[in-house]
Amino acid sequence: MDLSLLRSTLEELGQPRFRFDQIWKWTAGGAAGYHEMSNLPAALRDELTARVPFSTLSELRRASSSDGTDKLLLQTADGRPIETVLMRYKDGRRSICVSSQSGCPLTCTFCATGQMKFGRNLTAWEILDQALALRRLDALDHCVFMGMGEPMMNLDNVLEVCRRLPDLGITNRRTGISTVGWVPGIDKLTESDVPVRLAWSLHAPEDALRSEIMPVNERYSLDEVKAACDRFYERRRKMIFVEYVMLGGVNDSVAQAKQLADLLEPWRYKINLIPYNPTDSMYDSSSQGAMEAFRQTLEDEGYNATIRLIRGRDIDAACGQLAAKAANPKLKQRVGV
């Protein structure tokens, strides 16, 4: 919902200020439309239906995984495709993975989104409407900006959404913003008033390899990104999550685990090892044995290191797989559209 348009429309209609709060409370609580808002006059509900679209996005396709994950393919008013994901866990968590851009301009070689044509930054309301669409499916309590796009390149809109997420049940301390290492965005987040968590998509322990698999490293080196992350830690005193996708024979050796341990500090960084999910790229996933040896090496060096549980791989909803494939006519058969 475009909350700016909602507010201006209510003012134009001469409605009292509390109407905005009433409507937002219904929307954040999972209402399916204005027709459910029983404490609004019927004439106002009809007027809003005609003048303020309940969502800035339209749903093109929904896929459900055998593990309880749901993925939505959404489209903006100007035809930009977006994917967003709801992950359900056995411990009761309901976590959403939200996109900040349609496509991504940074072309990491292992990521399906990087293979898309970049569209544009999403507006705050297009980002928020992803969360609202998922809220209509289930109660929510965690959010990661780890979907399509680089959130730090669209940080003002991302932070605007973060300020609204607590109304959906997602507190700031349960919200994380992931970056491949966009230093200006990290510094801007550090100085912001929104106390969310920071996650760094690292994926290689030294510059030469990182530049090979992540071209952004040519712009912001490991030392530059780490310095920005350290500034975040010094200001916020919040441990930083490191995401490290495990690519078989590329970045998964015990020696590379020791390099990673030497690069970081265990009191500042928690390391999350991510099994590589197929994206039609040149890579294979690390073996379970290699991942466990890597994790154990980090643990021996004093780190809290875990191997991420895979969610939604069978519907191309796992980490690195979001590519809005149904928006590409050549790929419709593959996704069953």
Side-chain angles (χ1 to χ4, degrees):
M1 180 183 291
D2 184 332
L3 297 183
S4 297
L5 177 60
L6 173 64
R7 192 182 297 277
S8 64
T9 301
L10 290 172
E11 291 174 354
E12 184 180 331
L13 294 172
Q15 292 293 316
R17 291 185 178 182
F18 67 80
R19 290 294 186 209
F20 179 91
D21 294 332
Q22 285 180 317
I23 295 166
W24 172 241
K25 184 176 181 180
W26 277 103
T27 305
Y34 297 114
H35 63 279
E36 293 187 1
M37 302 180 186
S38 55
N39 57 350
L40 268 62
L44 177 59
R45 281 179 269 164
D46 292 342
E47 193 74 30
L48 291 174
T49 299
R51 297 178 58 167
V52 184
F54 192 67
S55 177
T56 61
L57 306 173
S58 56
E59 182 177 325
L60 299 182
R61 182 177 183 267
R62 183 182 306 181
S64 296
S65 169
S66 57
D67 63 23
T69 298
D70 285 324
K71 181 177 74 168
L72 303 183
L73 173 63
L74 306 169
Q75 185 172 271
T76 64
D78 62 345
R80 306 290 184 179
I82 308 166
E83 288 188 322
T84 190
V85 178
L86 166 62
M87 296 163 285
R88 298 177 177 88
Y89 294 89
K90 292 181 179 179
D91 63 5
R93 282 177 296 149
R94 299 291 184 267
S95 183
I96 61 175
C97 181
V98 179
S99 297
S100 56
Q101 298 175 316
S102 177
C104 182
L106 298 183
T107 63
C108 296
T109 58
F110 54 84
C111 179
T113 307
Q115 300 171 28
M116 288 178 62
K117 181 180 179 181
F118 175 63
R120 60 168 172 82
N121 282 345
L122 300 177
T123 68
W125 314 131
E126 290 166 341
I127 299 170
L128 181 61
D129 272 331
Q130 295 170 62
L132 290 171
L134 297 172
R135 174 64 185 88
R136 291 192 281 274
L137 301 183
D138 210 333
L140 308 176
D141 50 32
H142 287 74
C143 176
V144 288
F145 288 87
M146 202 180 295
M148 296 167 64
E150 168 54 54
M152 295 299 180
M153 299 180 78
N154 191 18
L155 189 61
D156 287 342
N157 287 331
V158 167
L159 292 179
E160 179 65 26
V161 173
C162 290
R163 295 184 180 98
R164 291 282 176 182
L165 287 178
D167 295 334
L168 279 67
I170 305 170
T171 63
N172 287 154
R173 71 182 183 88
R174 291 179 171 178
T175 299
I177 300 178
S178 175
T179 179
V180 299
W182 196 257
V183 170
I186 298 172
D187 286 336
K188 190 171 187 177
L189 178 63
T190 299
E191 299 301 321
S192 78
D193 62 349
V194 184
V196 295
R197 311 302 295 259
L198 173 64
W200 178 16
S201 293
L202 179 52
H203 309 314
E206 47 89 13
D207 279 312
L209 177 59
R210 194 165 193 267
S211 293
E212 185 178 325
I213 64 178
M214 302 176 71
V216 70
N217 197 71
E218 291 295 308
R219 184 158 186 173
Y220 299 113
S221 68
L222 278 174
D223 285 345
E224 290 174 291
V225 181
K226 184 176 183 299
C229 290
D230 288 346
R231 290 191 291 272
F232 177 91
Y233 177 84
E234 292 298 329
R235 176 71 177 267
R236 300 294 187 95
R237 292 295 169 178
K238 290 181 180 290
M239 181 169 277
I240 297 158
F241 295 95
V242 166
E243 298 150 359
Y244 194 98
V245 66
M246 301 294 291
L247 305 174
V250 175
N251 66 351
D252 63 346
S253 70
V254 168
Q256 287 165 319
K258 291 179 177 177
Q259 278 184 293
L260 182 60
D262 290 341
L263 175 68
L264 306 174
E265 299 85 22
W267 62 89
R268 289 182 176 174
Y269 295 90
K270 179 184 184 297
I271 301 174
N272 196 358
L273 305 178
I274 305 173
Y276 171 69
N277 298 297
T279 61
D280 295 330
S281 74
M282 67 188 83
Y283 301 109
D284 294 315
S285 183
S286 301
S287 68
Q288 191 63 39
M291 286 190 285
E292 180 54 35
F294 200 99
R295 188 204 64 78
Q296 187 62 55
T297 301
L298 292 170
E299 189 172 287
D300 291 345
E301 295 288 337
Y303 286 89
N304 181 355
T306 58
I307 299 174
R308 178 178 292 175
L309 181 66
I310 298 172
R311 311 296 294 178
R313 179 182 277 183
D314 57 330
I315 56 170
D316 287 342
C319 184
Q321 289 188 313
L322 300 187
K325 289 178 179 177
N328 184 340
K330 295 180 180 179
L331 295 171
K332 283 186 177 182
Q333 184 176 1
R334 175 172 177 173
V335 297
V337 174

